[in-house]
Amino acid sequence: MTASLAEPSDEILLQRMIAGDEQAFTLLYRRHQPGISRFALHMSGSADIAEEVTQEVFLALIRQPRQYAPERGPLASYLYGIARKQVLRRLAGSRLQATPRDGEEPTVAWGVEDDFSRRQQIERVRRAILALPPRYREVVVLVELNEMSYQEAAEVAGCTIGTVRSRLSRAKSLLESKLINVEKCST
Amino acid sequence: MFHVKHPELDLILEELRREPAPPARLEARLRAEFRRRRPQHRWLAWTLRAAAIAIPVAVLVNGLVLDQQPRQSVEPAAQPALREVTTEFFPLDAGPTGEEARLVRVRLPRGALRSFGLPMDEERAAEKILADVVLGEDGTARAVRFVSFTAR
């Protein structure tokens, strides 16, 4: 999530942006938009929601840039925090948040590679992630898919590093429990 | 039937990680919103850059007076009971200042405060206020801070 040595830091770009530098805003957007969009997409499973959330994140940055307090953490964590709240707000009460009932949980059959393409397996894992409770889903998305450190994920999720570790472990156990070895099950 | 750990999960998570992010279709819309909300900054940054290349000791440029003498800590026409108070420096340009950077004191329209989200009395927008500008070696304005005076 950090800039390279050759590029201005987020803090420098933000100050320039506050001073009216459009190029600085553009650099910030291009630097953080992919991760924010990917996070919103994997959390919601909806491209439309992902786009709405991404827009809201950067509109918040444009309208209230001084809401970000550097002493609380990196700008990226602040932006992801906004995205997280926006996603959870949209998921609240929606069908996406509901845990699939028994018999409806997505499963992946292994050991029968001839019957399922790789893309179908990936899609099933994607749906399995969406079926996770939000508190487990977000740590999988932040750490495994957005490649954040435990520290960074903890800042976004507003919890301790230990909580991130335990939730991630539990989330992966839940995902693995959906991976059925067909050959072993069929014996 | 029993469940076992599968390295396949990590491989599939890796593939999901490498998937491209959703397209950035919002950029133009957001940049338009940015411009709509902050048009005055371009004027201020241009004005300070123009002031940076002024050569004479005192030059009037769009209401801006550039004083090349070292910054003085107290306004002339002495009010010795006053204490100088400054804001933080607001960066204007991320380039290096170099070893020959200068700090010059200028007068700007009070309305410039608005560009930096600082409070100001709109009725006094046309009045002049003092500001310290950091000029880089190339004369580009790198940062600005605003100066006021308060009773001791």
Side-chain angles (χ1 to χ4, degrees):
Chain A
M1 294 199 295
T2 56
S4 71
L5 290 176
E7 299 170 343
S9 68
D10 281 351
E11 287 68 33
I12 290 286
L13 288 176
L14 183 63
Q15 286 296 324
R16 287 169 54 188
M17 188 194 101
I18 291 173
D21 187 337
E22 182 181 337
Q23 182 65 18
F25 166 73
T26 303
L27 288 175
L28 280 174
Y29 174 79
R30 290 177 182 173
R31 180 178 291 173
H32 294 292
Q33 175 271 326
I36 296 290
S37 292
R38 188 179 293 121
F39 169 76
L41 178 62
H42 285 300
M43 282 294 291
S44 66
S46 164
D48 288 342
I49 290 179
E51 185 165 309
E52 285 175 19
V53 168
T54 303
Q55 178 172 270
E56 288 303 316
V57 168
F58 289 98
L59 281 177
L61 186 65
I62 289 171
R63 291 168 180 165
Q64 295 182 300
R66 295 182 187 278
Q67 283 284 92
Y68 164 63
E71 60 272 15
R72 292 188 188 169
L75 179 65
S77 298
Y78 171 72
L79 297 178
Y80 272 90
I82 298 175
R84 176 179 177 269
K85 288 176 187 167
Q86 289 287 333
V87 167
L88 293 179
R89 185 181 304 164
R90 282 163 174 77
L91 293 180
S94 76
R95 296 172 59 190
L96 283 172
Q97 188 177 15
T99 302
R101 291 185 293 251
D102 288 344
E104 292 182 5
E105 292 189 10
T107 59
V108 180
W110 301 108
V112 284
E113 302 282 343
D114 291 342
D115 292 336
F116 292 98
S117 69
R118 186 61 164 180
R119 290 309 310 170
Q120 285 179 315
Q121 291 175 338
I122 292 173
E123 195 54 36
R124 286 179 184 273
V125 171
R126 191 198 313 275
R127 287 167 56 198
I129 292 174
L130 280 173
L132 290 173
R135 67 184 182 281
Y136 296 128
R137 190 188 319 162
E138 65 180 356
V139 292
V140 171
V141 173
L142 290 171
V143 177
E144 294 292 342
L145 302 186
N146 277 50
E147 300 184 89
M148 282 193 186
S149 67
Y150 287 172
Q151 172 68 39
E152 290 167 338
E155 287 168 0
V156 174
C159 61
T160 65
I161 293 178
T163 300
V164 169
R165 284 182 194 276
S166 63
R167 286 181 181 174
L168 187 60
S169 175
R170 176 65 179 147
K172 294 185 82 171
S173 293
L174 289 172
L175 288 176
E176 283 162 349
S177 72
K178 298 183 194 301
L179 307 183
I180 301 172
N181 185 315
V182 172
E183 288 182 1
K184 291 181 179 174
C185 290
S186 64
T187 59
Chain B
M1 185 170 77
F2 59 94
H3 300 291
V4 297
K5 284 192 179 295
H6 262 287
E8 284 290 326
L9 174 60
D10 287 333
L11 292 175
I12 289 184
L13 289 174
E14 171 67 29
E15 295 212 30
L16 283 172
R17 199 179 301 145
R18 286 193 268 110
E19 283 187 344
R25 295 184 296 206
L26 301 169
E27 181 174 318
R29 200 184 310 164
L30 289 167
R31 288 175 68 172
E33 175 68 11
F34 181 87
R35 285 193 296 271
R36 188 184 71 81
R37 295 182 68 85
R38 308 221 188 271
Q40 61 271 29
H41 290 299
R42 276 190 256 162
W43 170 86
L44 177 62
W46 180 89
T47 300
L48 288 171
R49 289 194 188 97
I53 64 175
I55 299 175
V57 173
V59 176
L60 185 64
V61 177
N62 286 340
L64 174 70
V65 176
L66 179 62
D67 184 348
Q68 292 280 357
Q69 294 176 359
R71 179 179 60 82
Q72 300 181 18
S73 61
V74 179
E75 272 274 80
Q79 300 185 37
L82 292 180
R83 178 169 62 91
E84 182 178 288
V85 177
T86 63
T87 67
E88 62 188 294
F89 273 106
F90 296 95
L92 298 171
D93 191 289
T97 54
E99 295 181 359
E100 299 297 323
R102 293 177 295 145
L103 184 67
V104 297
R105 179 153 290 186
V106 302
R107 292 181 188 278
L108 296 173
R110 186 175 289 274
L113 294 172
R114 194 189 307 119
S115 301
F116 296 93
L118 296 172
M120 56 156 282
D121 185 350
E122 290 294 336
E123 292 183 1
R124 302 175 64 192
E127 294 179 5
K128 296 293 190 289
I129 58 172
L130 290 175
D132 292 333
V133 179
V134 175
L135 301 180
E137 280 185 337
D138 60 356
T140 302
R142 298 294 185 199
V144 64
R145 71 178 179 186
F146 298 96
V147 183
S148 64
F149 297 88
T150 184
R152 288 185 184 277

